Amino acid sequence: MGITSVLIAGLIITAGGAVETQRERAVEGELTTIGERIGTELTALDRVADPTNSTMTVETSHPERVVNSRYRVRLTSNYGDCRTDACLVLESRAIETPVVIPVRDDIDTVESTAFGGAIRLVHNGTAVRVERAQP
C-alpha cells in the first residue's frame, strides 16, 4: 500500500510538471504570434506614414490575455537579446523569459509600453511608439 502511494504521488507530480511546461510553451507561442503581428503592423505604419511631422495613428486589437495571463508589450532599442536596432519585448508572469521580436532596422522608435488588448500604434512623423488604446 505504501509503495503504491509513493508511485501515485510521483505520477501526479510528474504530470503537474508536464502541464506547467505545456502552459509555458503555449504562452510563448501566443506571445510570439502577437509580437509578430504587432511588428508587421508597426512596419506597415512606418511605410505609409508621412515624414512631414504629422501624426498618424492605427488602433489594433489583440487578445487581452494569453492562457489566462495578462501580458505587456514593450517597444525598445535597449534590450540585450535584440538582433536589430529595435525590438518588441513581450512579458508575462506565466513565463520566466520574455519573448523578443526584432523590428525592422530602419524604423525609428520611441521607448514605450502597452498592455495586451487594444493597442494604439502612433507615428509622429519621425518615430513610432506603442500605447494602450482608450476604450
Side-chain angles (χ1 to χ4, degrees):
M1 182 79 152
I3 293 175
T4 304
S5 297
V6 170
L7 290 174
I8 290 174
L11 287 173
I12 290 172
I13 290 170
T14 301
V19 168
E20 187 61 30
T21 300
Q22 287 289 59
R23 183 174 192 270
E24 288 175 8
R25 285 185 188 153
V27 169
E28 288 172 357
E30 286 188 45
L31 289 178
T32 299
T33 300
I34 292 166
E36 289 172 348
R37 282 181 54 203
I38 295 171
T40 300
E41 294 160 349
L42 282 171
T43 300
L45 175 61
D46 186 64
R47 284 189 182 137
V48 300
D50 184 5
T52 61
N53 290 333
S54 62
T55 299
M56 182 177 241
T57 302
V58 174
E59 291 198 14
T60 64
S61 180
H62 300 277
E64 287 189 21
R65 297 175 178 273
V66 291
V67 190
N68 206 25
S69 179
R70 290 195 48 87
Y71 64 96
R72 180 174 75 155
V73 178
R74 185 166 37 118
L75 181 59
T76 183
S77 59
N78 297 316
Y79 195 77
D81 291 343
C82 191
R83 297 182 316 265
T84 58
D85 291 340
C87 280
L88 289 163
V89 179
L90 290 88
E91 301 166 303
S92 169
R93 290 185 180 169
I95 56 174
E96 290 181 26
T97 306
V99 171
V100 179
I101 306 295
V103 177
R104 203 178 79 219
D105 268 333
D106 60 345
I107 295 178
D108 292 323
T109 60
V110 175
E111 293 280 330
S112 49
T113 302
F115 284 96
I119 296 175
R120 179 179 294 132
L121 310 175
V122 181
H123 194 293
N124 65 8
T126 57
V128 293
R129 71 177 183 274
V130 297
E131 60 186 40
R132 180 83 171 131
Q134 301 302 319

